[in-house]
Amino acid sequence: MTTDTKTWIDVCAVDDVEIEDLIEVSHDGNTYAIYRSPDDTFHATDGHCTHEKVSLADGLVMDYVIECPMHNARFDYRTGEVKSAPACVNLKTFEVKREGDRILLAVG
Amino acid sequence: MSTTHWKDYTLTGGDAVADGGQPGWYTPALDRKTLKGLMKRSDRPALANYGLWIGLIIALGAVTVATWGSAWGIVWLLVYSAVHQSATARQHELGHGTPFRTRWINEMFFHFSSFITLSEGHYYRWRHARHHTHTIIVGKDPEIQSPRPPEIVSLLINLFNLKTVVLTARDFLRRAAGDLGQGRHFIPEGEQPKVIRAARIYLGLIALIVAACFVTGSLLPLLLTIGPRVIGAPLYALLHFTQHAGLDEDVHDHRLNSRTIYMNPVLRFLYANMNYHVEHHIFPMVPYYRLPELHALIKDQCPEPKHGLVDAYRDIVPTLLRQLKDPSYHLRPALPAAAVAAE
């Protein structure tokens, strides 16, 4: 039997995030981006672009890509993988799960 | 005795303004949902606009070839070149990745526009990213067109991109040999091979164009491909120069270092709406075809736009002349009382 040892925090309601969009949440001094994909799955990454640490909150979500609002660096928010410059470093991703109408983020 | 301090605008210069990382820029109040709506991309308006542009290039090119050898040939070449070099504004927008939702279409037009403006795409993107991070910040922005005091002779020569073309040829040769010049300050090491490879490809393509001239015994292959970079330059030199000239530097408020100008639909088509330059810098993710809407939403928080190119140059020319004697002088647009400057 496996035990879930992660620390899950309640970050938002399902309806706080529109389809094909993201919101920014903060916890314990860290910033996270919570995404809702076109097929209604939730994902989470670090809240700042790896290029110049710009907040991704005002970025554009298109399909499974988040584009940084400052220089258009693009990442696959499901894996954190860089899709195009100017970013060269992948985004850190975090686990999320849906419980009822709430979204939980693994921070531990 | 007073001495005039001439600033060093190079990226390693002693006048670089120190700031720690990403500066905080002024952002007008705008509902997040509205902004997201403005940022949404659609292939349709961009395809219609780019289709018209490519159609005009083909039609005007055909008329130029058909009338070549007569005086009309020269006239049509001028018109063709003016439309062709709309690529300078389009390359800029495509470099931001904003016109098309479909990425490969965006990239196809981007690299096409980059070549016909001799502004290699990989290098341009890195340089322009720096311009947006540090807009008109001395020693950080590699795209400052109007240093103080202004270099009037250089500006006049470059009305036809004569200086730019010479420097471009030098830069391509250097980059092809592995020397990125100032680019080494803003292009990560891992990305530098792409720039070097692209410079070599550009030199190869230029050699093919020159060879085509010898084979056909005509200058038309050159005049119809990269020749417009010189022949069609003056219109765009006049347009581009208005973006920041005469305004303040080293301020983190695009309303104080950038200029919005109302223009007629023909110029806006050719210039890809870059006349809304304050808006473009504040929200660079908004596609060019949504900038008029963005302008309408935030104009109450921005300075009064200039009304046409003549109105803009009525400000710019006297300012540049005064800066010859007093490099500290600059224009300061009046900000709406309700929107405080974020200097």
Side-chain angles (χ1 to χ4, degrees):
Chain A
M1 192 180 96
T2 56
T3 310
D4 187 350
T5 57
K6 299 183 185 78
T7 303
W8 293 92
I9 57 167
D10 185 324
V11 287
C12 62
V14 166
D15 290 342
D16 288 343
V17 194
E18 293 184 10
I19 295 278
E20 206 175 29
D21 201 0
L22 82 158
I23 63 165
E24 183 181 271
V25 298
S26 296
H27 173 75
D28 204 15
N30 297 312
T31 308
Y32 306 90
I34 310 293
Y35 307 85
R36 190 173 182 180
S37 74
D39 53 10
D40 205 17
T41 55
F42 283 81
H43 306 269
T45 69
D46 186 79
H48 292 95
C49 178
T50 59
H51 173 227
E52 290 197 352
K53 304 301 172 197
V54 173
S55 168
L56 293 170
D58 287 327
L60 181 64
V61 176
M62 288 183 297
D63 298 328
Y64 302 102
V65 169
I66 170 66
E67 203 169 286
C68 173
M70 179 60 90
H71 300 117
N72 312 84
R74 297 162 72 249
F75 305 87
D76 184 328
Y77 56 77
R78 298 169 298 179
T79 61
E81 183 193 357
V82 174
K83 303 297 286 184
S84 67
C88 300
V89 177
N90 292 345
L91 271 177
K92 190 175 178 186
T93 56
F94 301 89
E95 281 186 60
V96 286
K97 64 181 179 185
R98 186 173 177 163
E99 281 190 0
D101 67 345
R102 305 299 300 177
I103 299 301
L104 306 185
L105 170 71
V107 294
Chain B
M1 189 180 85
S2 66
T3 55
T4 302
H5 174 56
W6 290 51
K7 283 188 179 179
D8 182 350
Y9 284 78
T10 60
L11 300 189
T12 52
D15 288 310
V17 172
D19 67 44
Q22 181 65 29
W25 288 86
Y26 168 81
T27 308
L30 183 63
D31 170 61
R32 184 167 167 273
K33 197 169 179 176
T34 305
L35 176 61
K36 297 257 180 185
L38 287 170
M39 290 195 306
K40 294 280 183 199
R41 294 165 200 167
S42 166
D43 287 340
R44 189 175 293 179
L47 280 173
N49 186 291
Y50 277 72
L52 175 59
W53 177 55
I54 295 292
L56 282 170
I57 288 179
I58 292 170
L60 290 166
V63 174
T64 302
V65 171
T67 56
W68 195 242
S70 72
W72 280 109
I74 302 293
V75 172
W76 285 115
L77 178 64
L78 292 173
V79 178
Y80 168 82
S81 298
V83 173
H84 180 285
Q85 284 301 290
S86 175
T88 59
R90 292 168 189 278
Q91 185 221 18
H92 165 261
E93 282 303 289
L94 295 157
H96 280 284
T98 49
F100 294 94
R101 182 178 170 97
T102 306
R103 186 73 179 170
W104 70 264
I105 303 178
N106 198 86
E107 292 306 285
M108 179 188 68
F109 276 114
F110 174 62
H111 289 293
F112 170 71
S113 301
S114 295
F115 181 70
I116 66 174
T117 54
L118 296 177
S119 175
E120 193 280 305
H122 298 292
Y123 187 93
Y124 172 81
R125 266 201 172 124
W126 286 105
R127 192 190 67 196
H128 196 64
R130 179 66 83 89
H131 170 62
H132 272 268
T133 307
H134 301 292
T135 310
I136 319 299
I137 304 293
V138 174
K140 289 185 180 297
D141 182 352
E143 295 190 355
I144 297 180
Q145 275 194 308
S146 179
R148 300 186 215 154
E151 297 159 356
I152 302 290
V153 174
S154 174
L155 287 171
L156 291 174
I157 289 173
N158 226 22
L159 264 176
F160 283 91
N161 273 337
L162 297 177
K163 184 179 167 188
T164 297
V165 166
V166 171
L167 293 178
T168 298
R170 181 203 66 182
D171 289 346
F172 281 155
L173 290 169
R174 281 184 178 176
R175 285 181 218 161
D179 176 5
L180 297 186
Q182 294 251 325
R184 68 185 183 278
H185 297 298
F186 50 80
I187 304 173
E189 235 171 74
E191 294 289 309
Q192 292 180 4
K194 287 183 191 170
V195 176
I196 294 166
R197 188 170 60 245
R200 292 171 182 165
I201 292 171
Y202 270 46
L203 288 174
L205 290 172
I206 293 166
L208 282 177
I209 292 168
V210 172
C213 290
F214 280 108
V215 169
T216 59
S218 165
L219 279 174
L220 278 176
L222 183 69
L223 294 175
L224 294 175
T225 52
I226 54 176
R229 181 69 174 140
V230 172
I231 304 163
L235 172 62
Y236 299 94
L238 289 171
L239 290 169
H240 289 309
F241 194 64
T242 62
Q243 294 175 354
H244 306 286
L247 294 163
D248 205 356
E249 55 193 27
D250 299 338
V251 289
H252 290 139
D253 188 337
H254 293 110
R255 301 170 305 168
L256 299 175
N257 64 19
S258 307
R259 181 182 282 108
T260 284
I261 307 174
Y262 290 131
M263 288 183 185
N264 66 53
V266 174
L267 283 182
R268 286 201 288 114
F269 169 76
L270 293 172
Y271 194 28
N273 279 341
M274 274 304 102
N275 51 305
Y276 295 107
H277 215 65
V278 172
E279 293 80 356
H280 167 66
H281 266 280
I282 293 177
F283 296 117
M285 293 280 283
V286 174
Y288 73 94
Y289 44 81
R290 306 297 299 271
L291 286 176
E293 290 168 74
L294 173 62
H295 168 72
L297 290 166
I298 66 170
K299 66 180 179 185
D300 292 344
Q301 301 171 67
C302 295
E304 172 70 16
K306 305 311 290 182
H307 291 263
L309 271 181
V310 172
D311 190 27
Y313 276 99
R314 274 199 198 107
D315 270 357
I316 294 170
V317 172
T319 301
L320 297 193
L321 294 176
R322 185 163 165 184
Q323 285 178 345
L324 289 171
K325 293 176 182 171
D326 177 8
S328 67
Y329 180 74
H330 60 85
L331 294 164
R332 187 183 170 86
L335 295 171
V340 181
E343 284 177 282

